Amino acid sequence: MNPESMDNVFQALASSVRRQILDIVQSRPGCNVSYVCRYFDVSRIAVMKHLNVLENAGLLITEKQGRTRCLYFNAAPIQTIYERWTTEYSSLWAGRLTEFKRQLEEPRKVNRD
Amino acid sequence: MNPESMDNVFQALASSVRRQILDIVQSRPGCNVSYVCRYFDVSRIAVMKHLNVLENAGLLITEKQGRTRCLYFNAAPIQTIYERWTTEYSSLWAGRLTEFKRQLEEPRKVNRD
DNA sequence: AAAATACGTAACCTAAAGGTTACTTATGAA
DNA sequence: TTCATAAGTAACCTTTAGGTTACGTATTTT
């Protein structure tokens, strides 16, 4: 997973509305756009933009059936990030804030992600 | 953890530069602003803004000593989110995309977070 | 004391996020 | 066939994000 798509996933999750949308779709796999819209006070276009952000991040899968767009939640990106971060920050996720002082003698450009 | 601060954490993590900063500070607990700046090509002010975003999300702790600002990584917010999401989406994080179709008879305002 | 260093604040600029309304298009139902 | 419904596109607006330069202030260092 490249840093760009990691950005997309975190960015997508950084909105309460979008996290709610994930909840809704998860509880109703295959539901359509109008169904999701009923839960919110904002316009359908605004909801569609949120859906597109989520789809772009890979958190939603779309399947067009006739005139309706069926929505499915995809947990894979979250799992990937979780696995990645548990490896890199394993001690931290485990709950211990270890003061692991790696000897970094001279600053250099970091190339993470 | 309220949805607002959850937003802040995800938002803070949605930037490759900021994730790199976390790496740097984690590898050098107590380092100062200038030290972090050496890793990036952007201005010091830009880096400071990133640091403030991270601090606001609770991912960085700051301790002023004389004229220097000492930086420490704080994993607590990440742990909280992890625990929260593993509870809510446990089956998903576990790797099985279960088609758990909860019977949601009539749409209503969702109040998650 | 003078100079260099570390940080902070203010004002500004550009691009992106997140919302709106208006209009189109395609499909399903009567 | 007509009408209602589901979705998409375009153009626009306002706020926020992320960067800049210029300037100010406190604390070390020489």
Side-chain angles (χ1 to χ4, degrees):
Chain A
M1 177 174 271
N2 59 343
E4 201 181 302
S5 59
M6 206 154 158
D7 286 8
N8 289 343
V9 176
F10 279 126
Q11 185 64 53
L13 293 174
S15 151
S16 170
V17 169
R18 284 193 290 264
R19 291 195 304 273
Q20 285 178 41
I21 290 178
L22 290 187
D23 279 348
I24 294 165
V25 174
Q26 194 203 345
S27 72
R28 270 274 166 118
C31 71
N32 62 20
V33 176
S34 307
Y35 177 82
V36 173
C37 284
R38 280 181 240 148
Y39 287 83
F40 301 99
D41 282 333
V42 296
S43 74
R44 180 179 55 89
I45 313 302
V47 171
M48 283 216 311
K49 287 188 181 181
H50 284 302
L51 291 174
N52 291 341
V53 169
L54 289 166
E55 186 173 11
N56 198 252
L59 292 165
L60 276 187
I61 308 267
T62 272
E63 189 190 357
K64 195 71 184 271
Q65 272 187 3
R67 65 177 167 177
T68 73
R69 181 174 161 200
C70 304
L71 304 170
Y72 302 91
F73 174 56
N74 181 28
I78 296 179
Q79 288 163 12
T80 306
I81 282 183
Y82 166 66
E83 281 159 24
R84 156 139 213 160
W85 279 53
T86 44
T87 323
E88 292 195 9
Y89 293 83
S90 50
S91 57
L92 301 159
W93 286 70
R96 292 164 295 145
L97 184 55
T98 54
E99 298 274 301
F100 138 52
K101 299 178 200 259
R102 170 159 66 85
Q103 249 54 319
L104 186 69
E105 59 299 324
E106 205 57 27
R108 47 181 167 68
K109 292 289 167 192
V110 171
N111 216 339
R112 208 181 142 285
D113 291 319
Chain B
M1 175 173 270
N2 59 342
E4 202 181 302
S5 59
M6 206 153 157
D7 286 7
N8 289 342
V9 176
F10 279 126
Q11 185 64 54
L13 293 174
S15 152
S16 169
V17 169
R18 284 194 289 264
R19 292 195 303 274
Q20 284 177 41
I21 290 177
L22 289 187
D23 279 346
I24 294 165
V25 174
Q26 194 203 344
S27 72
R28 270 278 165 115
C31 71
N32 61 19
V33 176
S34 307
Y35 177 83
V36 173
C37 284
R38 278 181 240 150
Y39 287 82
F40 301 97
D41 283 333
V42 297
S43 72
R44 178 179 57 88
I45 312 301
V47 171
M48 284 216 310
K49 287 189 182 180
H50 284 302
L51 291 174
N52 291 341
V53 169
L54 289 166
E55 186 173 11
N56 198 251
L59 291 164
L60 277 186
I61 307 266
T62 273
E63 188 190 358
K64 195 70 184 270
Q65 272 187 5
R67 66 175 167 179
T68 74
R69 180 175 162 198
C70 304
L71 304 169
Y72 301 91
F73 174 57
N74 182 29
I78 295 179
Q79 288 163 12
T80 306
I81 283 183
Y82 166 67
E83 281 159 23
R84 156 138 214 161
W85 280 53
T86 44
T87 322
E88 292 195 9
Y89 292 83
S90 50
S91 58
L92 302 158
W93 286 71
R96 292 165 295 147
L97 184 55
T98 55
E99 298 273 300
F100 139 52
K101 299 179 200 256
R102 171 158 65 87
Q103 248 55 317
L104 186 69
E105 59 299 325
E106 205 55 28
R108 47 178 167 70
K109 292 289 169 192
V110 172
N111 215 338
R112 209 182 141 284
D113 290 321

